[in-house]
Amino acid sequence: MNDQPLPDCAPEEPVPEAPGRPAVRCRLCGRPLTGRASRRTGLGPACDAKLHPSRPDIRPRRHDVEQERLF
């Protein structure tokens, strides 16, 4: 795999390997993964955001309506 990160990925400090723990690298850019969720999915946070963008906000927007005052 290519050891160079994608152009828009921020460089990350190399993480020392823990004894007994296999090295896990991002499936997209090849950088080492350190977080539990990243190691589980096989994608770093930046690459995961590229492949799975957040859902758009589809809630209806509230707006003020003029009405008569209730007594």
Side-chain angles (χ1 to χ4, degrees):
M1 184 138 237
N2 190 357
D3 287 337
Q4 295 179 351
L6 294 174
D8 53 347
C9 287
E12 205 172 81
E13 292 293 320
V15 178
E17 302 279 331
R21 183 185 235 180
V24 178
R25 296 192 169 272
C26 178
R27 293 181 293 164
L28 193 60
C29 69
R31 294 187 329 207
L33 299 175
T34 58
R36 178 177 283 171
S38 296
R39 291 173 61 91
R40 189 176 338 121
T41 61
L43 292 170
C47 294
D48 187 45
K50 289 178 194 172
L51 293 177
H52 305 105
S54 61
R55 296 175 63 188
D57 186 17
I58 56 173
R59 293 180 293 155
R61 302 208 182 265
R62 292 184 173 189
H63 58 278
D64 292 328
V65 178
E66 290 186 30
Q67 62 183 14
E68 293 182 22
R69 186 173 166 184
L70 299 174
F71 294 98

